[in-house]
Amino acid sequence: MREKIDCFLPYERTEAFDNMLQTLRQSKTVRHIFLLNGTDEGDVAGAPEDCTAISVDSLTSTQTMLRIEEHTDADYVLLSLKKMPADIGLHSLDRLLTVAVDSNAGLVYSDYKACKNGKTEPHPVIDYQSGSERDDFDFV
């Protein structure tokens, strides 16, 4: 599989965020990691050198989506809109990429586990069907 993923993440320097970055760095499917922030590009205190900072006004604005499109070179995009970093499981990006390629899907997402009050609980999401997505659709 030669397809690659460009990752776009809200930047918030925490230990959990650093752990997620380490996982993304180890994935052979990740082409580049972009950090979405509210400051000038390249002016992110403590930002890792192997990531590119992109200045955005809001994580969900049209302007942000256009900036993401400008910076995307890979076949696929991983877009995280939550500031809480995800603990990406071993080979999970490979599995999502395989599903996207094999099904020729424009969008893939999965169930996940949420950590609340120190407990990990399953968080299934609904299957996509025509008309099921909306502004508050819970992809993750």
Side-chain angles (χ1 to χ4, degrees), residues 17-45:
F17 183 83
D18 290 342
N19 291 339
M20 183 174 67
L21 277 181
Q22 188 62 27
T23 301
L24 293 174
R25 287 181 182 120
Q26 293 172 351
S27 173
K28 293 178 182 177
T29 62
V30 173
R31 177 175 280 171
H32 200 86
I33 301 170
F34 296 92
L35 304 177
L36 305 174
N37 65 81
T39 63
D40 293 333
E41 287 187 37
D43 186 25
V44 179

Short mmCIF file of all heavy atoms in Angstrom, two decimals, residues 17-45:
data_model
loop_
_atom_site.label_atom_id
_atom_site.label_comp_id
_atom_site.label_asym_id
_atom_site.label_seq_id
_atom_site.Cartn_x
_atom_site.Cartn_y
_atom_site.Cartn_z
N PHE A 17 -0.65 14.61 24.28
CA PHE A 17 -0.44 15.06 22.90
C PHE A 17 0.90 14.56 22.37
O PHE A 17 1.00 14.09 21.25
CB PHE A 17 -0.51 16.60 22.84
CG PHE A 17 -0.39 17.14 21.44
CD1 PHE A 17 -1.49 17.19 20.61
CD2 PHE A 17 0.83 17.57 20.96
CE1 PHE A 17 -1.38 17.68 19.31
CE2 PHE A 17 0.96 18.07 19.66
CZ PHE A 17 -0.16 18.12 18.85
N ASP A 18 1.94 14.66 23.20
CA ASP A 18 3.26 14.18 22.81
C ASP A 18 3.24 12.68 22.52
O ASP A 18 3.89 12.21 21.59
CB ASP A 18 4.30 14.50 23.88
CG ASP A 18 4.60 15.99 23.97
OD1 ASP A 18 4.28 16.73 23.01
OD2 ASP A 18 5.15 16.41 25.01
N ASN A 19 2.49 11.93 23.31
CA ASN A 19 2.36 10.49 23.07
C ASN A 19 1.68 10.21 21.74
O ASN A 19 2.08 9.30 21.00
CB ASN A 19 1.58 9.82 24.21
CG ASN A 19 2.35 9.81 25.50
OD1 ASN A 19 3.58 9.94 25.53
ND2 ASN A 19 1.63 9.67 26.61
N MET A 20 0.64 10.99 21.42
CA MET A 20 -0.04 10.81 20.15
C MET A 20 0.89 11.15 18.98
O MET A 20 0.93 10.44 17.97
CB MET A 20 -1.30 11.67 20.08
CG MET A 20 -2.09 11.47 18.79
SD MET A 20 -3.66 12.34 18.74
CE MET A 20 -3.12 14.02 18.70
N LEU A 21 1.67 12.22 19.12
CA LEU A 21 2.64 12.58 18.09
C LEU A 21 3.64 11.45 17.86
O LEU A 21 3.98 11.13 16.72
CB LEU A 21 3.39 13.85 18.46
CG LEU A 21 2.73 15.17 18.16
CD1 LEU A 21 3.64 16.32 18.59
CD2 LEU A 21 2.36 15.30 16.72
N GLN A 22 4.10 10.85 18.94
CA GLN A 22 5.06 9.75 18.83
C GLN A 22 4.45 8.59 18.05
O GLN A 22 5.11 7.99 17.19
CB GLN A 22 5.51 9.29 20.22
CG GLN A 22 6.63 8.30 20.19
CD GLN A 22 7.89 8.86 19.57
OE1 GLN A 22 8.14 10.06 19.58
NE2 GLN A 22 8.68 8.00 18.97
N THR A 23 3.20 8.27 18.31
CA THR A 23 2.52 7.20 17.59
C THR A 23 2.41 7.54 16.10
O THR A 23 2.66 6.68 15.24
CB THR A 23 1.11 6.95 18.17
OG1 THR A 23 1.24 6.60 19.55
CG2 THR A 23 0.38 5.85 17.43
N LEU A 24 2.04 8.77 15.79
CA LEU A 24 1.92 9.18 14.39
C LEU A 24 3.27 9.14 13.68
O LEU A 24 3.37 8.73 12.53
CB LEU A 24 1.32 10.59 14.29
CG LEU A 24 -0.14 10.73 14.72
CD1 LEU A 24 -0.56 12.18 14.71
CD2 LEU A 24 -1.05 9.88 13.86
N ARG A 25 4.31 9.54 14.38
CA ARG A 25 5.66 9.51 13.80
C ARG A 25 6.09 8.09 13.45
O ARG A 25 6.83 7.88 12.50
CB ARG A 25 6.67 10.11 14.77
CG ARG A 25 6.59 11.59 14.91
CD ARG A 25 7.66 12.06 15.89
NE ARG A 25 7.59 13.48 16.09
CZ ARG A 25 7.37 14.04 17.28
NH1 ARG A 25 7.21 13.30 18.36
NH2 ARG A 25 7.34 15.35 17.38
N GLN A 26 5.65 7.13 14.22
CA GLN A 26 6.05 5.73 14.01
C GLN A 26 5.26 5.06 12.89
O GLN A 26 5.67 4.02 12.39
CB GLN A 26 5.88 4.94 15.30
CG GLN A 26 6.85 5.36 16.38
CD GLN A 26 6.55 4.72 17.72
OE1 GLN A 26 5.52 4.06 17.90
NE2 GLN A 26 7.44 4.90 18.67
N SER A 27 4.16 5.65 12.49
CA SER A 27 3.33 5.06 11.45
C SER A 27 3.95 5.30 10.07
O SER A 27 4.29 6.43 9.73
CB SER A 27 1.92 5.66 11.48
OG SER A 27 1.18 5.21 10.38
N LYS A 28 4.06 4.25 9.30
CA LYS A 28 4.60 4.37 7.95
C LYS A 28 3.60 4.99 6.98
O LYS A 28 3.94 5.32 5.86
CB LYS A 28 5.04 3.00 7.45
CG LYS A 28 6.22 2.46 8.22
CD LYS A 28 6.62 1.09 7.75
CE LYS A 28 7.78 0.60 8.60
NZ LYS A 28 8.18 -0.74 8.27
N THR A 29 2.35 5.13 7.42
CA THR A 29 1.33 5.71 6.55
C THR A 29 1.25 7.22 6.64
O THR A 29 0.65 7.85 5.78
CB THR A 29 -0.07 5.13 6.87
OG1 THR A 29 -0.41 5.47 8.21
CG2 THR A 29 -0.11 3.63 6.71
N VAL A 30 1.85 7.82 7.66
CA VAL A 30 1.77 9.27 7.86
C VAL A 30 2.84 9.96 7.03
O VAL A 30 4.02 9.66 7.14
CB VAL A 30 1.93 9.63 9.36
CG1 VAL A 30 2.02 11.14 9.54
CG2 VAL A 30 0.76 9.07 10.15
N ARG A 31 2.41 10.89 6.19
CA ARG A 31 3.34 11.67 5.37
C ARG A 31 3.82 12.90 6.13
O ARG A 31 5.00 13.19 6.18
CB ARG A 31 2.69 12.10 4.07
CG ARG A 31 3.65 12.98 3.23
CD ARG A 31 3.10 13.32 1.90
NE ARG A 31 3.29 12.17 1.03
CZ ARG A 31 2.76 12.06 -0.17
NH1 ARG A 31 2.01 13.01 -0.64
NH2 ARG A 31 2.97 11.00 -0.89
N HIS A 32 2.88 13.67 6.71
CA HIS A 32 3.25 14.90 7.39
C HIS A 32 2.25 15.19 8.51
O HIS A 32 1.08 14.83 8.40
CB HIS A 32 3.28 16.07 6.40
CG HIS A 32 4.08 17.23 6.89
ND1 HIS A 32 5.43 17.32 6.71
CD2 HIS A 32 3.71 18.33 7.58
CE1 HIS A 32 5.87 18.45 7.26
NE2 HIS A 32 4.84 19.08 7.78
N ILE A 33 2.73 15.87 9.55
CA ILE A 33 1.88 16.25 10.68
C ILE A 33 1.81 17.77 10.74
O ILE A 33 2.84 18.45 10.77
CB ILE A 33 2.44 15.69 12.00
CG1 ILE A 33 2.54 14.17 11.94
CG2 ILE A 33 1.57 16.14 13.18
CD1 ILE A 33 3.30 13.55 13.10
N PHE A 34 0.58 18.28 10.73
CA PHE A 34 0.33 19.72 10.80
C PHE A 34 -0.34 20.04 12.12
O PHE A 34 -1.24 19.32 12.55
CB PHE A 34 -0.57 20.17 9.65
CG PHE A 34 0.05 19.99 8.29
CD1 PHE A 34 -0.16 18.82 7.58
CD2 PHE A 34 0.84 20.98 7.73
CE1 PHE A 34 0.40 18.63 6.33
CE2 PHE A 34 1.41 20.81 6.48
CZ PHE A 34 1.19 19.63 5.77
N LEU A 35 0.09 21.13 12.75
CA LEU A 35 -0.49 21.56 14.02
C LEU A 35 -1.34 22.80 13.78
O LEU A 35 -0.84 23.81 13.27
CB LEU A 35 0.62 21.87 15.02
CG LEU A 35 1.61 20.73 15.27
CD1 LEU A 35 2.70 21.19 16.23
CD2 LEU A 35 0.91 19.50 15.78
N LEU A 36 -2.60 22.72 14.10
CA LEU A 36 -3.54 23.83 13.93
C LEU A 36 -3.50 24.68 15.19
O LEU A 36 -3.70 24.17 16.30
CB LEU A 36 -4.95 23.31 13.67
CG LEU A 36 -5.08 22.33 12.50
CD1 LEU A 36 -6.50 21.79 12.44
CD2 LEU A 36 -4.68 22.99 11.19
N ASN A 37 -3.22 25.98 15.05
CA ASN A 37 -3.11 26.84 16.21
C ASN A 37 -3.62 28.23 15.89
O ASN A 37 -3.80 28.58 14.74
CB ASN A 37 -1.66 26.89 16.69
CG ASN A 37 -0.76 27.54 15.67
OD1 ASN A 37 -0.70 28.75 15.58
ND2 ASN A 37 -0.07 26.74 14.87
N GLY A 38 -3.82 29.02 16.92
CA GLY A 38 -4.35 30.37 16.76
C GLY A 38 -3.29 31.44 16.69
O GLY A 38 -3.59 32.60 16.82
N THR A 39 -2.02 31.05 16.50
CA THR A 39 -0.94 32.03 16.42
C THR A 39 -0.37 32.04 15.01
O THR A 39 -0.80 31.29 14.16
CB THR A 39 0.17 31.70 17.42
OG1 THR A 39 0.73 30.42 17.06
CG2 THR A 39 -0.35 31.65 18.83
N ASP A 40 0.61 32.89 14.79
CA ASP A 40 1.26 32.96 13.48
C ASP A 40 1.95 31.64 13.16
O ASP A 40 2.48 30.97 14.04
CB ASP A 40 2.30 34.08 13.44
CG ASP A 40 1.65 35.45 13.52
OD1 ASP A 40 0.48 35.57 13.11
OD2 ASP A 40 2.31 36.38 14.00
N GLU A 41 1.95 31.27 11.88
CA GLU A 41 2.61 30.04 11.46
C GLU A 41 4.06 30.06 11.89
O GLU A 41 4.74 31.07 11.78
CB GLU A 41 2.52 29.87 9.94
CG GLU A 41 1.14 29.49 9.50
CD GLU A 41 1.07 29.16 8.03
OE1 GLU A 41 2.01 28.55 7.50
OE2 GLU A 41 0.06 29.53 7.42
N GLY A 42 4.53 28.93 12.38
CA GLY A 42 5.91 28.80 12.79
C GLY A 42 6.19 29.42 14.15
O GLY A 42 7.26 29.28 14.69
N ASP A 43 5.23 30.11 14.74
CA ASP A 43 5.42 30.78 16.02
C ASP A 43 4.67 30.03 17.12
O ASP A 43 3.82 30.57 17.79
CB ASP A 43 4.91 32.23 15.92
CG ASP A 43 5.22 33.02 17.19
OD1 ASP A 43 6.17 32.66 17.89
OD2 ASP A 43 4.50 34.00 17.44
N VAL A 44 5.00 28.76 17.28
CA VAL A 44 4.35 27.94 18.30
C VAL A 44 5.43 27.51 19.29
O VAL A 44 6.31 26.73 18.96
CB VAL A 44 3.68 26.69 17.68
CG1 VAL A 44 3.03 25.86 18.75
CG2 VAL A 44 2.66 27.12 16.64
N ALA A 45 5.36 28.06 20.48
CA ALA A 45 6.38 27.77 21.49
C ALA A 45 6.42 26.27 21.80
O ALA A 45 5.40 25.66 22.11
CB ALA A 45 6.09 28.55 22.76
#
